[in-house]
Amino acid sequence: MYDLAIIGGGPSGVAAGVYAARKRLKTIFIAEAIGGQSTDSVGVENWIGTIKISGLDLAKAFEAHLKTYASDVVDIKIGARATAIKKADGHFTITTSQGAFEAKSVLIASGGSRKKLEVKGAADFENKGLTYCASCDGPLFSGQDVAVVGGGNAGFESAAQLLAYCKSVTLIHRSSEFTKADAATVESVLAHPNMKVLKNTEPIEVKGSGFVSGLVVKNKESGETTELPVAGVFVEIGMLPSTDFAKEIVALDEYNRVKVDPKNQRTSVEGIWAAGDCTDELYHQNNIAAGDAVKALEDIYYWIKRAK
């Protein structure tokens, strides 16, 4: 019987694993891989304490940090995929591709994946000008013209970040209204002199030669196509949280993200916490994911100690 089961190997899961080890909580660490979504990034420049690091090197640093402290406290199961969580007799059973594990508490830190832009050229130019993380890769496009695909809150938040250093930002939105974005955010971002918006428009091709040089878009009403001369394309068309294994036990929102109390990361079920991109946290970034996991571990530690 473990004190804690951590599910997920991104920044939230690893941060939780390090803290669990330091607090001497007997822990089972379950992850298909270590690193999270940033492993695809060419250069991460916003991980606090590190000026710039590639996504792959960041993943290696995560693994090294976790294994340094794990010792005989954290049992690491890499390549294991969680498939279900059940509660009975005051503890949890986590079923995985490498067997079942029992724990007194659970931290869901399973992250998610970005919805991919599925148009001609998108796959060819991924990490060559087409990216899914403005906070990670935005500074690489300083002084250049870029496009953001997506008119929800994530799209406008990315545009706001990019406006700090890009020459111009053009947001591509497939509808005529911004129904999935906060009105105040929309108003603030659109007021910037270097911000442009194309409504009722969708991307149809990413173009370039070795690196992105343009984005072809189509107006849905007129059918007219236009090539935008941009050096970067930032895609914000939604997140797919990895929460299928938890849907039968904790409350999820309409996007299948785990609902949490932001004060302590507790879920709807006593004994289960969640952190990172799999939750309904308003902002999704590496530092926030790690911080939420640390917050959860502090609460988990005292919860376990009170129960003994």
Side-chain angles (χ1 to χ4, degrees):
M1 174 71 68
Y2 292 93
D3 289 321
L4 170 65
I6 297 172
I7 303 172
S12 55
V14 172
V18 170
Y19 267 70
R22 291 173 63 85
K23 291 178 179 297
R24 310 299 294 176
L25 293 177
K26 187 62 178 174
T27 300
I28 178 72
F29 183 94
I30 302 163
E32 292 188 69
I34 289 182
Q37 295 177 61
S38 288
T39 54
D40 293 330
S41 183
V42 175
V44 178
E45 298 184 354
N46 64 337
W47 181 247
I48 300 303
T50 303
I51 295 172
K52 184 175 181 179
I53 187 171
S54 73
L56 289 176
D57 285 341
L58 182 60
K60 291 176 183 177
F62 283 167
E63 186 168 359
H65 197 171
L66 176 62
K67 287 183 175 179
T68 296
Y69 286 101
S71 185
D72 60 343
V73 180
V74 178
D75 188 2
I76 302 172
K77 300 292 183 183
I78 304 299
R81 179 174 56 86
T83 57
I85 303 173
K86 293 185 178 179
K87 185 175 185 180
D89 300 324
H91 69 273
F92 301 92
T93 300
I94 302 92
T95 304
T96 79
S97 57
Q98 293 187 12
F101 304 95
E102 295 184 332
K104 300 171 186 175
S105 62
V106 177
L107 174 66
I108 300 173
S110 50
S113 59
R114 303 274 184 174
K115 287 184 180 178
K116 297 290 186 177
L117 181 64
E118 296 183 356
V119 302
K120 184 178 179 180
D124 297 331
F125 290 101
E126 191 165 326
N127 297 320
K128 298 176 182 177
L130 185 143
T131 176
Y132 293 84
C133 184
S135 61
C136 301
D137 301 326
L140 300 173
F141 298 85
S142 180
Q144 301 183 70
D145 298 306
V146 300
V148 173
V149 179
N153 271 329
F156 276 93
E157 288 160 8
S158 290
Q161 293 181 56
L162 294 168
L163 285 166
Y165 27 74
C166 292
K167 181 179 178 182
S168 74
V169 178
T170 301
L171 186 140
I172 314 301
H173 185 45
R174 63 183 179 180
S175 302
S176 59
E177 302 293 336
F178 300 112
T179 57
K180 294 184 178 181
D182 178 72
T185 302
V186 172
E187 182 180 1
S188 174
V189 173
L190 294 186
H192 196 286
N194 297 334
M195 184 70 196
K196 307 171 187 175
V197 170
L198 295 178
K199 297 180 181 179
N200 292 314
T201 301
E202 56 188 7
I204 59 174
E205 183 179 0
V206 181
K207 302 183 74 173
S209 177
F211 206 84
V212 169
S213 63
L215 177 66
V216 181
V217 298
K218 180 180 180 179
N219 185 284
K220 295 170 65 177
E221 294 181 336
S222 67
E224 180 183 0
T225 62
T226 306
E227 182 173 342
L228 306 176
V230 295
V233 178
F234 294 81
V235 182
E236 292 289 355
I237 55 177
M239 173 81 70
L240 298 172
S242 300
T243 56
D244 281 353
F245 65 90
K247 63 184 179 182
E248 300 298 331
I249 191 166
V250 295
L252 307 179
D253 69 5
E254 65 269 35
Y255 303 109
N256 291 321
R257 301 175 301 188
V258 182
K259 291 183 178 181
V260 296
D261 182 337
K263 292 189 295 185
N264 50 32
Q265 304 302 123
R266 294 191 181 199
T267 71
S268 59
V269 175
E270 180 77 9
I272 301 182
W273 287 254
D277 288 3
C278 65
T279 73
D280 61 352
E281 159 71 60
L282 183 58
Y283 302 108
H284 293 140
Q285 292 186 23
N286 286 342
N287 292 297
I288 294 172
D292 283 350
V294 171
K295 186 198 312 179
L297 252 293
E298 295 291 349
D299 199 53
I300 290 168
Y301 178 78
Y302 289 111
W303 183 86
I304 289 174
K305 293 304 178 182
R306 285 197 300 267
K308 288 184 176 180

